[in-house]
C-alpha cells in the first residue's frame, strides 16, 4: 500500500528547511560570543526530528537538546558526532538499564534534583567512568532544578573531592523571556550569576529563544533556542523576526449558501448574522488543529487565508472538517479545490495560537501525522 500523493491527501504541511537554517543563523548572529545549540524536542516542535536535526547540523549546530532519551537515541543515530543533552534527566526507574542506555547512546542527562545527581554519581563510580552530564539549577521556575543552597553544597563537595562524573554544563530556564521588561528576567539573571560563580570552570547556559533577544548578559557560553528556530515569535505581542518554517493548508471540499439566522456546526454555538456563503475544508482536530480555535457567538476564533483573502472560522472545529465564512471573498476566489492556509506566510502562527487561547509551541507540537508532509 503506497502513501497518498498530493492529489489524495486531505491536508498538507510544508516544512521549509531553508527557512529553518536561516533562523538558526539569525540566532547565531544575535549571540556571537556564545555557542548556539538547537532544541529539537517534541519531534523538532512538530516539524520532524530527522530532517530538522540534519538541517540544523548542516547550518552549524553541534549541540542539541531533547526531552527524552528515546529522542536522544534517534538523534544520535542520525548525528554520531553531536553533543546531545536530555532535558528531563533520568526519567526511568533508577535501574542500571536506563543509565546504560544513556551511556551506550552517548547522551548527557540534565540532572534536575539532588537524587538524580547522587544516582549519576553512583553509576559513574561503579563503572569507573567519568560520564558527562549537565545540572539544572532553579532560578525562579519552580519546576526542575536544584536550589542555590544545593549549588553551594555541590560546589564545596566538588572542591574537596573530584566527582565521579564530568560536569560539562550548568543551566537554568527563563520564565518570562518573551516579556523583555519583566523584572523576573533580571532577577533570574542575578541568581544564575550567583550559581555560575560557584562553578567558574563549567560552561553555563541560560538563554532560550526569548533570552537570546534579551541581550549579551543572558548569553553566557551556550544559548538554547527552540521556538525561534521554527518561526515562532520571540517577544510576546510583537511580530516574529524569524522566517516562516511551517505552513498548514487544505482544500475546500464544498461551498454552500446559508440564510441569516442559521446555526453552524456542532452545538449550534454560532449563528449566521447575514445571508452567508460558507466553505467546508478538509482539516480538523484529528490533524492537530486545535479545537479551541473554534468560533461562537460569544467568541471569535481563528482565521484562514484563501487566495490571499482572510476568512474567519465559523462554528466549532470538528474532527475532520472546518467551516469557514467566505461571504466577503469573491465567489471565483473561494471555490471547491482552492487552498485554505491555516498558518504560514499569510496567517501568522502566533495569531492562530492567540485566537485558540494558547501559544505557538502547543500548536506546532500538536500537529498530527495525517497531513502530507512536504519538505523544501
Amino acid at each position: 500500500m503506497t502513501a497518498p500523493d498530493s492529489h489524495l491527501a486531505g491536508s498538507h504541511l510544508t516544512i521549509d528547511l531553508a527557512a529553518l537554517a536561516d533562523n538558526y543563523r539569525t540566532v547565531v548572529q544575535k549571540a556571537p560570543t556564545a555557542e548556539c545549540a538547537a532544541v529539537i524536542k517534541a519531534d523538532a516542535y512538530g516539524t520532524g526530528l530527522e530532517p530538522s536535526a540534519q538541517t540544523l547540523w548542516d547550518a552549524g549546530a553541534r549541540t542539541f537538546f531533547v526531552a527524552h532519551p528515546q529522542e536522544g537515541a534517534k538523534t544520535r543515530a542520525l548525528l554520531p558526532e553531536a553533543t546531545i543533552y536530555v532535558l528531563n534527566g533520568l526519567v526511568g526507574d533508577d535501574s542500571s538499564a536506563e543509565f546504560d542506555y544513556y551511556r551506550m547512546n552517548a547522551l548527557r542527562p540534565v540532572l534536575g534534583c539532588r537524587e538524580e545527581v547522587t544516582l549519576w554519581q553512583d553509576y559513574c563510580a561503579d563503572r569507573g567512568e567519568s560520564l558527562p552530564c549537565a545540572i539544572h539549577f532553579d532560578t525562579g521556575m519552580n519546576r526542575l532544578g536544584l536550589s542555590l543552597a544545593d549549588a553551594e553544597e555541590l560546589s564545596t563537595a566538588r572542591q574537596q573531592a573530584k566527582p565521579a562524573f564530568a560536569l560539562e554544563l550548568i543551566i537554568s530556564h527563563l520564565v518570562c523571556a518573551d516579556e523583555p521588561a519583566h523584572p523576573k528576567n533580571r532577577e533570574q539573571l542575578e541568581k544564575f550569576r550567583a550559581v555560575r560563580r560557584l562553578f567558574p570552570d563549567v560552561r553555563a547556559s541560560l538563554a532560550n529563544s526569548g533570552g537570546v533577544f534579551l541581550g549579551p548578559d543572558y548569553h553566557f557560553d551556550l544559548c538554547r533556542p527552540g521556538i525561534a528556530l521554527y518561526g515562532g515569535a520571540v517577544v510576546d505581542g510583537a511580530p516574529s523576526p524569524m522566517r516562516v518554517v511551517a505552513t498548514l493548508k487544505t482544500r475546500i471540499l464544498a461551498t454552500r449558501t446559508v440564510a441569516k439566522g442559521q446555526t453552524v456546526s456542532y452545538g449550534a454555538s454560532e449563528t449566521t448574522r447575514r445571508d452567508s456563503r460558507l466553505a467546508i475544508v478538509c482539516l480538523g482536530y484529528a490533524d492537530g488543529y486545535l479545537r479551541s480555535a473554534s468560533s461562537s457567538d460569544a467568541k471569535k476564533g481563528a482565521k484562514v487565508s484563501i487566495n490571499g483573502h482572510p476568512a474567519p472560522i465559523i462554528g466549532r472545529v470538528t474532527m475532520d472538517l472546518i467551516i469557514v465564512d467566505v461571504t466577503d471573498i469573491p465567489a471565483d476566489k473561494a471555490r471547491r479545490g482552492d487552498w485554505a492556509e491555516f498558518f504560514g506566510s499569510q496567517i501568522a502562527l502566533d495569531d492562530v495560537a492567540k485566537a485558540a487561547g494558547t501559544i505557538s509551541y502547543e500548536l506546532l507540537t500538536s500537529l498530527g501525522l495525517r497531513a502530507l508532509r512536504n519538505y523544501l
Side-chain angles (χ1 to χ4, degrees):
M1 182 176 177
T2 59
D5 62 24
S6 61
H7 300 290
L8 300 176
S11 56
H12 288 214
L13 177 64
T14 300
I15 307 298
D16 188 340
L17 296 175
L20 176 64
D22 279 351
N23 287 345
Y24 176 79
R25 288 187 280 264
T26 295
V27 176
V28 169
Q29 292 170 1
K30 286 287 183 180
T33 63
E35 180 188 354
C36 183
V39 181
I40 55 171
K41 61 183 179 176
D43 199 32
Y45 287 56
T47 64
L49 188 146
E50 288 94 340
S52 294
Q54 185 65 62
T55 297
L56 291 162
W57 173 271
D58 293 343
R62 293 296 178 264
T63 301
F64 296 83
F65 286 83
V66 298
H68 300 292
Q70 297 93 331
E71 295 174 328
K74 186 181 292 188
T75 306
R76 172 62 65 220
L78 180 71
L79 304 174
E81 298 179 12
T83 299
I84 304 170
Y85 286 97
V86 181
L87 287 164
N88 284 8
L90 305 175
V91 300
D93 57 3
D94 300 343
S95 68
S96 61
E98 179 189 8
F99 305 134
D100 290 342
Y101 190 87
Y102 279 85
R103 176 178 167 274
M104 289 186 298
N105 290 286
L107 305 178
R108 300 182 177 188
V110 179
L111 308 175
C113 64
R114 286 298 299 267
E115 291 84 354
E116 287 187 345
V117 173
T118 299
L119 288 167
W120 193 247
Q121 166 84 3
D122 292 346
Y123 177 74
C124 292
D126 290 344
R127 291 200 58 87
E129 292 184 62
S130 183
L131 299 172
C133 68
I135 296 181
H136 186 160
F137 292 97
D138 178 51
T139 56
M141 174 73 80
N142 285 308
R143 196 171 60 175
L144 288 177
L146 282 71
S147 68
L148 180 58
D150 290 330
E152 293 169 345
E153 290 181 20
L154 285 174
S155 176
T156 299
R158 193 164 174 265
Q159 293 170 23
Q160 294 173 349
K162 184 179 179 180
F165 57 76
L167 180 58
E168 298 290 344
L169 184 70
I170 58 172
I171 78 168
S172 191
H173 193 63
L174 292 166
V175 178
C176 302
D178 57 347
E179 301 177 57
H182 200 292
K184 194 76 174 180
N185 294 321
R186 181 59 58 171
E187 175 188 322
Q188 287 191 268
L189 176 62
E190 295 307 321
K191 288 181 178 179
F192 191 63
R193 281 173 169 166
V195 174
R196 176 68 184 280
R197 286 192 290 270
L198 297 170
F199 301 90
D201 58 330
V202 180
R203 299 181 80 208
S205 176
L206 178 63
N208 51 10
S209 290
V212 171
F213 288 79
L214 288 177
D217 284 351
Y218 293 82
H219 295 166
F220 292 90
D221 303 299
L222 179 73
C223 297
R224 311 189 309 272
I227 193 63
L229 301 179
Y230 307 101
V234 293
V235 176
D236 188 36
S240 175
M242 317 308 293
R243 287 186 60 188
V244 172
V245 172
T247 299
L248 180 65
K249 63 181 183 178
T250 190
R251 290 190 185 275
I252 296 175
L253 296 176
T255 61
R256 64 188 302 134
T257 56
V258 176
K260 177 182 178 180
Q262 297 294 304
T263 61
V264 179
S265 196
Y266 286 121
S269 60
E270 185 157 13
T271 304
T272 55
R273 299 180 181 180
R274 57 182 174 173
D275 292 344
S276 302
R277 186 167 180 261
L278 307 182
I280 296 83
V281 299
C282 191
L283 189 80
Y285 58 75
D287 300 286
Y289 191 81
L290 301 180
R291 190 169 179 268
S292 55
S294 300
S295 181
S296 69
D297 290 331
K299 166 195 156 304
K300 292 305 174 187
K303 293 182 178 181
V304 308
S305 178
I306 302 172
N307 287 320
H309 297 274
I313 290 173
I314 182 169
R316 290 184 185 172
V317 171
T318 70
M319 183 182 290
D320 309 299
L321 300 169
I322 295 173
I323 305 168
V324 179
D325 187 341
V326 295
T327 309
D328 295 326
I329 300 177
D332 64 343
K333 298 297 183 182
R335 299 176 295 186
R336 170 178 163 77
D338 284 344
W339 289 102
E341 180 189 290
F342 277 76
F343 55 76
S345 60
Q346 301 296 313
I347 299 291
L349 175 68
D350 288 278
D351 288 347
V352 178
K354 183 177 181 180
T358 185
I359 54 178
S360 55
Y361 303 73
E362 183 182 14
L363 194 56
L364 281 179
T365 59
S366 296
L367 295 174
L369 299 176
R370 195 160 66 171
L372 179 68
R373 294 193 172 212
N374 304 301
Y375 287 91
L376 304 181

